Amino acid sequence: MESSELKRSKDSANSHESTRKSSFPDEVLDRVLSLLKSHRDRSSVSIVCKDWYNAERLSRTHVFIGNCYSVSPEIVARRFPKIRSVTLKGKPRFSDFNLVPQNWGADIHAWLVVFAAKYPFLEELRLKRMAISDKSLEFLALSFPNFKALSLLSCDGFSTNGLAAIATHCKNLTELDIQENGIDDKGGGWLSCFPECFTSLEVLNFANLTSEINFDALERLVSRCKSMRVLKLNRSISLEQLQRLLVSSPQLAELGTGSFSQGLTFQQHEELERSLSNCKNIHTLSGLWEAMGIYLPALYPACAHLTFLNLSYAALQSGELAKLLTHCPQLRCLWVLDTVEDKGLEAIGLNCPLLEELRVFPADPFDEDIIHGVTEAGFVAVSFGCPRLHYVLYFCRQMTNAAVATIVQNCPDFTHFRLCIMNPGQPDYLTNEPMDEAFGAVVKTCTKLQRLSVSGLLTNLTFENIGRYAKNLETLSVAFAGSSDWGMQCVLGGCPKLRKLEIRDCPFGNAALLSGLEKYESMRSLWMSACNVTMNGCRLLAREMPRLNVEVMKEDGSDDSQADKVYVYRSIAGPRRDAPPSVLTL
Amino acid sequence: MGKGGGGDEKEKMGFEETELRLGIGLPGGVGGGEATDRQQVQVVKKRGFSETIDLKLKLSSKDSCGMDPNDDQKVKENTDPAKPPAKAQVVGWPPVRSFRKNMLATQKSSSSSEEGGNATFVKVSMDGAPYLRKVDLRMYKTYQELSDALAKMFSSFSTIGNCGAQAGMKDFMNERKLMDVLNGSDYVPTYEDKDGDWMLVGDVPWEMFIESCKRLRIMKGTEAIGLAPKAMEKCKNRS
């Protein structure tokens, strides 16, 4: 369409609605677009017409790339010349659970090289499940003089030496957020690399590193970074040291404590409590490694305004949690270990009426002799007390259909429902029925559901229901479930908003895989492992859908015809050229 | 890991290639009937690399009606509480990030070593025994001492008898007799190491063993066959 034609047709459209003839000057469009932050809104804007496409792409400063192989850095740079902030995700999510070979790819370096040339003013880089080497970190530190924020989540391939390079060279750094990575922790010396004149740090998260750092260097760093609002320490920091840090940073909004288990004198305890009560802005609390119940009262002063409490590394008992929660009436988000048991969850229901998100992690996921943890009763108790609950991640060893039905009746606003019954294929333990009814209730009642993880014994009925009712579902995770191809076909045939489908150990084969041909182009990705898909099925898919990348990873010793692990994703960059030998691109 | 019953199916699966680090078989659909069975066996064949456990074993009697009577026998065996559950660890399940797994593991081990001082208590189970025991590995200096202690501990169960257990374990230390022992009905001590693998006791130097042993299981020799090749491999790789 010619842009002048477009302009005329836009004008005529406008004049239907108003008496004056309105034109849409570029300045107005630019101004409006500059206020648009959401990448989805921007995507919508960009497909209105060519003018809007151009206006949008020239004004975009942050790009979000959900699958690093869906596009190439060159294409990104060509379309968006003014990017200052990049979020990139790499490996399939199941790589978190060791299902993806080590050298699979998602290396950031090629991106950095392009960015160094095209975005010399890059300020922020947020990576999830990417491979990043020390060399890349050093390259990053040296190539972008304005670099401000680095966030690494679930990444691997680097060591603390890379962090040292960042600390040494990034003079304008405001954020260093290192979370849950496969990092080679070679020692805490990296922290001492921040120059003495450096004062800009606002976010420092090294909670998941294990080595001891130089505490004096840290104390000096924290006291001169007056804008620091997020500080998450690692286990090497003692309670006493924590107290000293709090004294020099009362402005903190998010605090991750160090180890919470050394002996404290009464006076030290008092001092800690006092320092914490001076931090009037703390709304997020985490860490609490090896928390011992007797020291928890020191936290009480900080609890009054707490909205997010992460106790997922503190093996608390129900009583300890209950006491703590009586001080946390404002909680919106709570993460706990299942050591708190059902009684602990009951306390949540009683004390946290504003709760929106609950995650219950298993303390001993692989020890089957232990029959503790949480049951359906705890979940039900929370649902009665927390009607605003909309995000749940729940690991348990038993569940019933009736309980889930009650839960969603109490909390119909679920957007994220991730239930993991840890024994694969386990039925309702009271009735011995499959858990179909449970997830049927979830999808029928929770119309806003965006993300669903199913577990337990499930037949195709579950997937029929998902396909039919889950109109807003975007992400579905399935394991050890389903009876036949029909199940997966139902999901692919329904779920209009499906973007990510990850399946493992299910009896879905080629018929199911091939029923989603057109669907896959509207999705980000499909993962299928240990299912019944064959190489021929994958080849057919690859042949029919040239705009999809179809990748197969074979297990050692498996049949030649079996496609053990299949990863399918749409891409405008074509098949990737950096696949290791274990990954076959069809 | 149950060997009783369903003999035909086992042969199809290439039993000689079994390893204890197993994948999970697909749960049969309820009322799946023949088609599902066929599908399951097919998948199992195609898997090749591991023996899959028939997950139907975990299901209620409602689901298992329609299965052949041999399977019912399997169900009984596997609900024996003294036996560790038939399924070994499945890769990547439950879906807990490795990072979190490791963090919690180090927390557990550090706290328990603090509590226990210099003791290293591990659970010991024995096939056929109705309950578990706990031993402090640091109380012994050699495999022989441990073996004697275990034999005494479990000798009260009529299924064993003193000679059988002791003889079995002693013979086991001698590799030449290994296959004899395994082929017989003697008992074989196995342990779970830090990596979660099930190993035959006696491979590594004693000091290394007590560092890496998380729990012990005294298996019937016939059941330990799957471990032997792996143990041999680990031995070969080390030498």
Side-chain angles (χ1 to χ4, degrees):
Chain A
M1 259 186 161
E2 287 296 304
S3 46
S4 52
E5 269 181 14
L6 271 174
K7 211 158 192 282
R8 261 182 277 129
S9 62
K10 260 189 279 169
D11 287 351
S12 62
N14 282 338
S15 65
H16 285 300
E17 288 157 337
S18 67
T19 49
R20 30 186 183 95
K21 209 170 187 195
S22 56
S23 56
F24 220 76
D26 289 341
E27 304 86 64
V28 177
L29 186 58
D30 288 345
R31 186 80 179 93
V32 170
L33 289 182
S34 67
L35 301 171
L36 270 184
K37 302 283 177 239
S38 147
H39 66 272
R40 283 195 205 182
D41 287 344
R42 282 186 162 268
S43 290
S44 310
V45 162
S46 68
I47 55 176
V48 168
C49 64
K50 194 121 204 236
D51 272 355
W52 283 39
Y53 177 87
N54 275 323
E56 192 281 312
R57 75 179 188 90
L58 293 172
S59 65
R60 197 186 289 211
T61 56
H62 170 244
V63 69
F64 169 85
I65 298 161
N67 174 5
C68 64
Y69 287 118
S70 63
V71 73
S72 74
E74 291 83 6
I75 295 175
V76 174
R78 232 189 342 259
R79 177 172 172 190
F80 302 113
K82 301 234 183 91
I83 295 297
R84 291 185 180 250
S85 167
V86 176
T87 303
L88 261 171
K89 296 189 181 180
K91 303 183 196 177
R93 192 176 78 97
F94 280 176
S95 72
D96 283 350
F97 318 125
N98 299 332
L99 287 178
V100 172
Q102 276 284 62
N103 56 348
W104 183 84
D107 196 306
I108 190 65
H109 202 79
W111 291 83
L112 290 177
V113 168
V114 172
F115 291 163
K118 305 288 182 183
Y119 303 141
F121 301 114
L122 189 69
E123 293 175 2
E124 297 182 359
L125 190 62
R126 294 173 204 285
L127 304 180
K128 187 169 184 181
R129 292 193 200 101
M130 300 284 297
I132 179 162
S133 66
D134 286 344
K135 221 168 70 148
S136 296
L137 283 170
E138 196 176 350
F139 181 79
L140 169 66
L142 294 169
S143 310
F144 304 99
N146 265 15
F147 195 72
K148 295 205 168 84
L150 179 64
S151 166
L152 301 175
L153 171 57
S154 253
C155 297
D156 63 5
F158 64 108
S159 79
T160 39
N161 291 342
L163 299 185
I166 299 286
T168 307
H169 300 294
C170 297
K171 308 268 180 273
N172 296 309
L173 200 68
T174 58
E175 180 175 334
L176 184 59
D177 184 4
I178 310 298
Q179 280 187 67
E180 297 197 0
N181 300 292
I183 183 174
D184 182 8
D185 193 336
K186 295 185 169 168
W190 61 274
L191 190 117
S192 311
C193 293
F194 284 110
E196 287 298 321
C197 57
F198 172 76
T199 58
S200 50
L201 207 57
E202 297 170 21
V203 173
L204 178 61
N205 177 3
F206 63 99
N208 300 142
L209 299 179
T210 43
S211 301
E212 221 176 287
I213 45 101
N214 181 326
F215 181 72
D216 285 334
L218 176 64
E219 200 175 10
R220 287 197 304 275
L221 176 68
V222 169
S223 59
R224 62 179 187 266
C225 293
K226 297 292 176 207
S227 305
M228 190 171 282
R229 49 185 173 81
V230 176
L231 179 61
K232 296 188 180 171
L233 308 166
N234 74 358
R235 286 156 78 172
S236 73
I237 305 291
S238 70
L239 281 175
E240 214 191 315
Q241 291 171 328
L242 170 66
Q243 189 264 330
R244 282 161 60 181
L245 291 172
L246 291 176
V247 165
S248 43
S249 55
Q251 77 284 359
L252 281 181
E254 293 183 29
L255 173 66
T257 72
S259 183
F260 225 72
S261 67
Q262 301 80 25
L264 278 186
T265 66
F266 182 70
Q267 190 187 358
Q268 285 170 326
H269 193 272
E270 291 263 287
E271 277 172 1
L272 178 59
E273 212 176 323
R274 211 175 315 130
S275 311
L276 265 171
S277 59
N278 271 341
C279 299
K280 309 251 182 254
N281 295 331
I282 293 184
H283 57 68
T284 294
L285 190 59
S286 60
L288 301 163
W289 313 96
E290 297 142 3
M292 287 177 65
I294 48 172
Y295 298 130
L296 291 181
L299 297 175
Y300 294 168
C303 289
H305 305 289
L306 218 53
T307 54
F308 178 15
L309 181 55
N310 180 352
L311 297 170
S312 64
Y313 291 105
L316 296 188
Q317 305 300 309
S318 53
E320 294 164 335
L321 177 67
K323 263 194 284 214
L324 179 58
L325 289 179
T326 56
H327 299 266
C328 310
Q330 305 285 333
L331 271 186
R332 304 269 194 283
C333 179
L334 177 62
W335 296 13
V336 293
L337 282 176
D338 64 358
T339 51
V340 304
E341 299 189 350
D342 288 336
K343 271 196 95 61
L345 298 181
E346 279 166 34
I348 298 174
L350 290 173
N351 290 293
C352 308
L354 301 177
L355 200 69
E356 296 174 22
E357 175 176 330
L358 175 66
R359 301 195 195 197
V360 182
F361 294 95
D364 266 309
F366 307 106
D367 194 336
E368 284 142 21
D369 291 338
I370 290 187
I371 319 182
H372 304 308
V374 295
T375 73
E376 77 281 5
F379 198 169
V380 170
V382 173
S383 73
F384 275 112
C386 309
R388 298 193 196 184
L389 198 63
H390 68 81
Y391 190 122
V392 78
L393 169 62
Y394 199 83
F395 284 86
C396 58
R397 290 184 172 86
Q398 64 186 51
M399 188 50 61
T400 67
N401 287 311
V404 177
T406 305
I407 287 160
V408 294
Q409 200 171 24
N410 294 337
C411 305
D413 296 327
F414 273 113
T415 54
H416 298 68
F417 193 91
R418 304 165 63 189
L419 176 61
C420 181
I421 304 167
M422 288 191 271
N423 197 2
Q426 182 172 298
D428 178 322
Y429 81 99
L430 286 181
T431 65
N432 278 317
E433 298 279 312
M435 295 297 297
D436 293 333
E437 246 179 73
F439 293 103
V442 172
V443 293
K444 287 177 196 162
T445 316
C446 306
T447 52
K448 301 184 206 156
L449 196 68
Q450 292 168 25
R451 180 169 181 185
L452 179 64
S453 299
V454 299
S455 59
L457 177 67
L458 300 174
T459 72
N460 283 342
L461 182 56
T462 293
F463 303 101
E464 281 174 29
N465 283 327
I466 293 175
R468 189 177 306 142
Y469 295 104
K471 297 290 177 217
N472 286 311
L473 192 67
E474 297 177 15
T475 304
L476 178 63
S477 304
V478 184
F480 306 103
S483 336
S484 70
D485 283 333
W486 174 242
M488 186 171 161
Q489 286 169 318
C490 288
V491 171
L492 291 170
C495 299
K497 295 203 185 159
L498 193 65
R499 292 188 308 120
K500 286 179 281 181
L501 181 55
E502 43 186 35
I503 301 174
R504 62 166 292 181
D505 294 274
C506 296
F508 302 140
N510 293 336
L513 176 71
L514 296 170
S515 69
L517 286 189
E518 289 86 39
K519 186 91 171 185
Y520 301 135
E521 281 196 347
S522 67
M523 287 169 55
R524 183 186 295 175
S525 64
L526 166 74
W527 168 281
M528 283 179 81
S529 60
C531 297
N532 288 350
V533 175
T534 68
M535 293 297 292
N536 283 336
C538 295
R539 284 190 197 107
L540 189 56
L541 174 62
R543 201 165 46 234
E544 293 294 312
M545 306 297 295
R547 280 184 304 213
L548 296 179
N549 282 357
V550 179
E551 297 177 7
V552 176
M553 288 156 271
K554 305 269 300 159
E555 299 267 330
D556 289 332
S558 79
D559 218 305
D560 278 344
S561 62
Q562 268 312 89
D564 306 304
K565 293 175 182 167
V566 182
Y567 185 49
V568 179
Y569 57 93
R570 64 181 176 189
S571 177
I572 54 175
R576 59 178 175 123
R577 270 155 293 182
D578 63 349
S582 55
V583 176
L584 306 165
T585 310
L586 301 179
Chain B
M1 273 300 286
K3 205 192 171 201
D8 270 351
E9 275 191 59
K10 284 284 186 289
E11 259 118 58
K12 275 187 233 162
M13 292 181 209
F15 190 69
E16 60 280 353
E17 289 161 38
T18 55
E19 283 184 52
L20 194 53
R21 170 75 82 146
L22 302 174
I24 277 283
L26 303 178
V30 173
E34 268 186 15
T36 325
D37 282 350
R38 215 182 307 127
Q39 216 175 34
Q40 254 199 322
V41 173
Q42 248 184 336
V43 173
V44 159
K45 267 182 148 147
K46 284 172 182 175
R47 284 268 175 82
F49 65 95
S50 61
E51 180 195 17
T52 52
I53 304 281
D54 188 346
L55 259 188
K56 284 181 188 171
L57 301 178
K58 291 280 172 189
L59 304 184
S60 66
S61 51
K62 179 184 178 194
D63 299 306
S64 56
C65 76
M67 283 158 53
D68 72 69
N70 283 337
D71 285 343
D72 282 338
Q73 201 187 334
K74 265 193 265 177
V75 173
K76 288 199 200 101
E77 262 181 48
N78 279 289
T79 52
D80 179 348
K83 217 184 238 186
K87 66 169 170 24
Q89 289 181 22
V90 181
V91 176
W93 189 266
V96 175
R97 276 197 187 144
S98 344
F99 174 83
R100 176 172 287 280
K101 247 196 300 183
N102 296 336
M103 268 295 143
L104 291 173
T106 32
Q107 265 194 270
K108 235 195 357 170
S109 63
S110 67
S111 60
S112 62
S113 62
E114 270 163 33
E115 282 166 31
N118 275 332
T120 305
F121 280 98
V122 299
K123 292 182 191 173
V124 188
S125 64
M126 176 152 186
D127 291 357
Y131 48 81
L132 310 181
R133 302 297 303 266
K134 253 193 172 156
V135 287
D136 177 3
L137 293 177
R138 289 188 194 274
M139 278 187 47
Y140 313 103
K141 302 268 181 314
T142 64
Y143 282 115
Q144 190 57 62
E145 283 180 21
L146 174 65
S147 155
D148 290 341
L150 290 179
K152 279 209 195 82
M153 230 181 229
F154 288 99
S155 64
S156 49
F157 301 123
S158 55
T159 40
I160 312 174
N162 278 329
C163 293
Q166 285 185 14
M169 285 190 238
K170 279 184 194 156
D171 282 340
F172 168 70
M173 301 306 163
N174 182 347
E175 254 192 44
R176 261 173 292 135
K177 283 212 168 183
L178 177 61
M179 291 320 293
D180 292 340
V181 165
L182 295 182
N183 285 329
S185 56
D186 287 317
Y187 282 80
V188 169
T190 64
Y191 71 99
E192 186 184 6
D193 73 1
K194 276 198 172 123
D195 301 325
D197 293 323
W198 283 90
M199 314 289 296
L200 289 171
V201 167
D203 281 357
V204 302
W206 175 254
E207 281 303 317
M208 202 186 291
F209 167 70
I210 54 178
E211 288 294 305
S212 67
C213 171
K214 276 177 41 190
R215 58 148 84 146
L216 284 162
R217 176 184 165 190
I218 304 171
M219 274 180 166
K220 282 204 182 76
T222 48
E223 290 207 19
I225 285 182
L227 286 174
K230 190 170 191 180
M232 299 292 203
E233 240 184 79
K234 273 201 174 178
C235 274
K236 271 188 238 145
N237 290 342
R238 220 169 278 125
S239 59

